Amino acid sequence: MFQSSSMIRKAIVALAVFGAVLPSQAAAQSSKSSQLKAAIVFNILRFVDFPGSNEGALTFCVSSRDPDASRFRAFSGRTAGSRQVSVRLLSSDSYAGCDVVYLGDANASEIASASRRGTLVMGDGSRFINRGGAVGLVRTGSQVRFELNLKATNQSDIEMSSRLIRLASRITR
């Protein structure tokens, strides 16, 4: 079910090369970073096992106020692992029915509100996993990397592939 780590690395390298050929203007940088972030998030989903059945739709929830929401909407209909992704835009803080919640730059209380058994909580910033989030995307220069909070994934009963764990730039336990 899990792809090899060399395939993940190749995908990340390909994304980085793709990003390097885009114009370096501020708007293009933001767009490139947004595209890269969405690609990394989708690839992470392919290496996660959720509790119970891994069949049916995988509901990916993102705030309609998130500036990257349109990038994530492109996930709809794609397959992550054995599940077809369905994207739901949230207009409130109701996370019921979400398998994945993408919070962007959230505070600890927002993360705690979204965290529950079977829900992968993802977001932005170097402090995201310290605040209780499971996966944090961190921008370092022109690169986007991810960090993992294994305590949060264990509490949510989410299993990460060991291959994915090895690729994280930082891990907290």
Side-chain angles (χ1 to χ4, degrees), residues 52-69:
S53 173
N54 272 314
E55 296 185 17
L58 176 70
T59 305
F60 183 95
C61 299
V62 61
S63 170
S64 58
R65 297 179 309 273
D66 188 303
D68 295 320

Side-chain angles (χ1 to χ4, degrees), residues 34-140:
S34 179
Q35 287 175 333
L36 184 57
K37 183 180 356 176
I40 290 170
V41 167
F42 185 78
N43 281 322
I44 288 171
L45 296 180
R46 296 175 47 219
F47 295 91
V48 174
D49 279 332
F50 294 86
S53 173
N54 272 314
E55 296 185 17
L58 176 70
T59 305
F60 183 95
C61 299
V62 61
S63 170
S64 58
R65 297 179 309 273
D66 188 303
D68 295 320
S70 63
R71 299 275 185 216
F72 296 126
R73 285 179 36 196
F75 295 171
S76 280
R78 292 182 64 189
T79 302
S82 62
R83 299 174 73 183
Q84 187 171 22
V85 178
S86 169
V87 176
R88 188 170 98 202
L89 296 179
L90 302 173
S91 56
S92 67
D93 294 339
S94 174
Y95 306 112
C98 298
D99 296 304
V100 180
V101 176
Y102 191 86
L103 296 176
D105 186 22
N107 63 42
S109 74
E110 291 171 310
I111 293 169
S113 175
S115 298
R116 57 179 44 103
R117 183 182 183 277
T119 303
L120 178 64
V121 180
M122 304 177 83
D124 296 326
S126 60
R127 295 180 293 182
F128 189 80
I129 66 170
N130 295 343
R131 294 176 182 153
V135 179
L137 299 179
V138 181
R139 188 171 177 188
T140 308

